[in-house]
Amino acid sequence: MSDFLADSVSWLPDLLRGLGHSLWLTFVSLLLGLPLGLVLGYVTERTTSRPLRWLLVAVIELARGLPALVVLYLIYYGLPSVEVVLSAFWSIIAAFTFSNAGYVSEIVRGAIRGIPAGQLEACQALGIGRARTFASVIAPQALRISTPSLVGYAAIVFQSTSLAVAVAEPELLNAAYNIGSITFQYLQVFIVAGALYAVVVIAASRFAGWLATRTQY
Amino acid sequence: MSLLNTTPSPDATAAPGGPLLVVDSLTKSFGDHTVLRGVDLHLDKGEVVALIGPSGGGKSTLLRCINQLELPTSGQVTLDGTPLVSTRGGAVVAPSAKALLRVRRQIGMVFQSFNLFANMTAEQNIVFAQRAALGTGKDEARERARTLLERVGMGHKAGSHPSQLSGGQQQRVAIARSLALDPRVILFDEPTSAIDPEMRSEVLSVMRELAEAGMTMLVSTHEMGFAKQVSDRTVFLCDGGILEEGPSRSLLEQPTHDRTRQFLRAIAEG
Ligand SMILES: Nc1ncnc2c1ncn2[C@@H]1O[C@H](COP(=O)(O)OP(=O)(O)OP(=O)(O)O)[C@@H](O)[C@H]1O
Ligand SMILES: [Mg+2]
């Protein structure tokens, strides 16, 4: 048991570096996916053009329907055959941003439907333009309503960054795998890595739960 | 104390070029359901007109057609001689976004459900409206917001969010927000219907002051007391048409049509 502890402690620096990189992947793909999803959700929800709505719904369904790993392989292994070569890092970011935008837009559409229609009518009646209405009335409220769901979703994104092991990106699972391949203590190292994932995810969902209790103005 | 920053000139009602707001043969259908069947109505500058009638009679639809929240099916609305409804070859067409914004900034609207922006305080609601609709500078907008909040008796709640205010308080803020854009006319759609009876008078007295200050107002209401005491004229709208209209006191005390009498009796019995 004390061996396990001592080993774990000696692996920690590598594992924590991997964890840091997993968090970084989560952060960057959400940073790009959030605004994209917000706009996508808003336009899909509010557009009066049917063809546009269908097109956007198709994009959203595709982004949510395709497994992130499939998208990642398409980008990393598939695109080079049409002369588009992205590094492992940017392939992951592109793949995750795509599915994030899809999921975020669904969350945001729900939130936009939760904003009383009267407030949007008030904007119209006051002669306030659409862009201004979105930026100052819809977006802040939609974000506030959807923050708990978004934090919960961020935890899922963090978990799925482990898929990046498939393209040898140095994130947490990759770091654990490397340690295992040197020490052959796969069981122990994956237990420690699993615990690190769990700690972050549980903390995030607790935080989401707490946020949910205080989304009122 | 005046609720407006400009006092109307004494001869305002005799403005050249006729009435301020004219509704001409306005019709509105939703699909094959006709809601307004040719409404004619005019408001002189400074006039207060009460719009009464049974539920479903088309009061809200009429108000919403005037500021183009709903596109009329046919007919015209003119504000100070300027036609508001876009037409092409005699048919009503959707106006350009720009034209719509211009129209709406001149016509205030106060809703039954207040419709304050939930993510902003009372003061921010009024500041935002001015900045977004008129491009007013921050300091000027804030100063005007404070002044207007004082005038509707809400100065002490400037920093409160709508969720922290009673219905009557929210509606007073909404009136101040509407006033902030300096509209030519304000449309009220049952402004007190969603407010507890004991809180209604605070809103009605703000509206009465507005009327006394010379604001042109078209008020859909079930408050017969307000109609009788404050409005110059009352219009009875029923089944999508104006059945009768006249000076408020005579219409409300001696209606000529049975339908009007019936309606007034039903209201009185509550
Ligand atoms: N967007 C819409 N689509 C279809 N029908 C509508 C729409 N808006 C209103 N109507 C119909 O138009 C009719 C008139 O409604 P309106 O709300 O104008 O009446 P009202 O006089 O304001 O009634 P109330 O006193 O209940 O507010 C009703 O039969 C209503 O169902
Ligand atoms: Mg109505």
Side-chain angles (χ1 to χ4, degrees):
Chain A
M1 187 63 203
S2 65
D3 276 359
F4 177 63
L5 271 183
D7 286 345
S8 304
V9 170
S10 73
W11 300 330
L12 264 186
D14 279 350
L15 292 178
L16 287 179
R17 207 170 306 123
L19 174 66
H21 195 66
S22 295
L23 290 170
W24 176 241
L25 291 172
T26 308
F27 176 75
V28 176
S29 68
L30 281 173
L31 191 70
L32 299 173
L34 257 172
L36 210 59
L38 192 60
V39 172
L40 193 61
Y42 169 69
V43 177
T44 311
E45 192 54 34
R46 305 284 308 170
T47 183
T48 49
S49 153
R50 282 206 181 175
L52 179 62
R53 181 195 300 253
W54 283 337
L55 179 73
L56 294 179
V57 167
V59 170
I60 292 172
E61 290 305 321
L62 203 64
R64 300 192 320 139
L66 286 177
L69 189 57
V70 173
V71 181
L72 178 55
Y73 274 8
L74 269 172
I75 293 172
Y76 188 68
Y77 293 114
L79 288 188
S81 63
V82 290
E83 310 290 324
V84 179
V85 183
L86 293 181
S87 67
F89 178 79
W90 286 110
S91 298
I92 295 162
I93 295 301
F96 280 35
T97 298
F98 180 60
S99 53
N100 287 352
Y103 278 100
V104 167
S105 69
E106 272 304 291
I107 295 173
V108 166
R109 281 174 75 188
I112 288 177
R113 273 181 234 129
I115 300 173
Q119 290 183 41
L120 308 183
E121 289 209 323
C123 282
Q124 290 182 298
L126 288 162
I128 295 171
R130 281 198 199 194
R132 210 54 200 266
T133 300
F134 174 69
S136 301
V137 177
I138 297 178
Q141 295 189 63
L143 277 177
R144 182 133 183 172
I145 295 170
S146 53
T147 295
S149 313
L150 290 174
V151 172
Y153 177 65
I156 294 173
V157 175
F158 169 71
Q159 284 180 319
S160 7
T161 56
S162 61
L163 295 173
V165 77
V167 292
E169 183 70 7
E171 42 65 69
L172 175 53
L173 187 58
N174 184 279
Y177 186 81
N178 286 341
I179 293 167
S181 65
I182 294 165
T183 62
F184 294 104
Q185 295 180 294
Y186 285 107
L187 180 62
Q188 292 93 319
V189 75
F190 283 134
I191 289 176
V192 178
L196 287 176
Y197 277 111
V199 165
V200 172
V201 171
I202 292 169
S205 25
R206 282 297 166 90
F207 181 54
W210 176 77
L211 281 175
T213 63
R214 37 167 302 151
T215 49
Q216 298 302 316
Y217 285 98
Chain B
M1 181 178 55
S2 164
L3 274 164
L4 303 174
N5 52 359
T6 50
T7 36
S9 49
D11 61 346
T13 47
L20 179 67
L21 182 74
V22 179
V23 176
D24 183 20
S25 317
L26 192 82
T27 74
K28 174 65 187 175
S29 307
F30 295 101
D32 47 14
H33 177 38
T34 301
V35 175
L36 297 177
R37 24 189 118 240
V39 173
D40 295 296
L41 183 67
H42 62 90
L43 270 78
D44 288 332
K45 190 155 188 277
E47 200 179 17
V48 178
V49 173
L51 190 58
I52 64 168
S55 180
K59 301 181 296 294
S60 299
T61 306
L62 173 59
L63 296 177
R64 294 165 60 83
C65 281
I66 290 174
N67 74 350
Q68 313 262 298
L69 278 179
E70 302 284 0
L71 194 63
T73 303
S74 71
Q76 186 54 276
V77 179
T78 37
L79 183 66
D80 219 0
T82 311
L84 306 184
V85 179
S86 305
T87 54
R88 195 179 300 135
V92 173
V93 293
S96 73
K98 231 181 173 169
L100 261 183
L101 296 185
R102 205 168 40 234
V103 166
R104 289 178 180 154
R105 283 168 195 166
Q106 300 181 62
I107 302 179
M109 181 135 188
V110 173
F111 299 88
Q112 181 173 350
S113 51
F114 331 128
N115 297 350
L116 293 178
F117 306 125
N119 58 324
M120 302 178 197
T121 63
E123 181 179 310
Q124 285 165 349
N125 261 274
I126 304 172
V127 170
F128 169 69
Q130 295 173 78
R131 289 174 61 71
L134 307 176
T136 313
K138 197 182 268 175
D139 293 337
E140 191 190 335
R142 198 173 295 157
E143 179 142 349
R144 184 145 168 73
R146 297 240 171 91
T147 310
L148 286 167
L149 283 172
E150 285 299 334
R151 289 189 182 167
V152 298
M154 288 295 295
H156 62 301
K157 294 284 189 184
S160 300
H161 278 91
S163 61
Q164 300 164 317
L165 301 175
S166 73
Q169 291 175 326
Q170 289 186 60
Q171 194 61 296
R172 284 185 284 156
V173 174
I175 292 173
R177 182 176 71 178
S178 172
L179 283 173
L181 303 194
D182 250 331
R184 315 284 310 272
V185 48
I186 303 186
L187 313 173
F188 292 81
D189 192 2
E190 296 192 34
T192 57
S193 294
I195 299 173
D196 291 339
E198 61 271 26
M199 307 283 197
R200 287 180 184 163
S201 62
E202 62 192 39
V203 172
L204 291 170
S205 71
V206 165
M207 291 172 61
R208 178 195 300 265
E209 281 174 43
L210 256 183
E212 281 163 4
M215 177 54 84
T216 312
M217 299 160 59
L218 179 56
V219 185
S220 148
T221 186
H222 287 134
E223 298 278 344
M224 295 307 140
F226 175 84
K228 200 178 289 183
Q229 291 156 27
V230 180
S231 69
D232 304 302
R233 211 150 35 94
T234 293
V235 170
F236 180 65
L237 187 71
C238 180
D239 299 328
I242 293 178
L243 193 59
E244 68 178 297
E245 66 176 298
S248 295
R249 190 164 291 276
S250 64
L251 184 134
L252 293 167
E253 285 171 1
Q254 289 134 9
T256 46
H257 283 77
D258 278 347
R259 188 74 186 77
T260 318
R261 215 167 290 140
Q262 220 173 40
F263 170 76
L264 290 173
R265 203 177 312 125
I267 288 268
E269 284 160 8

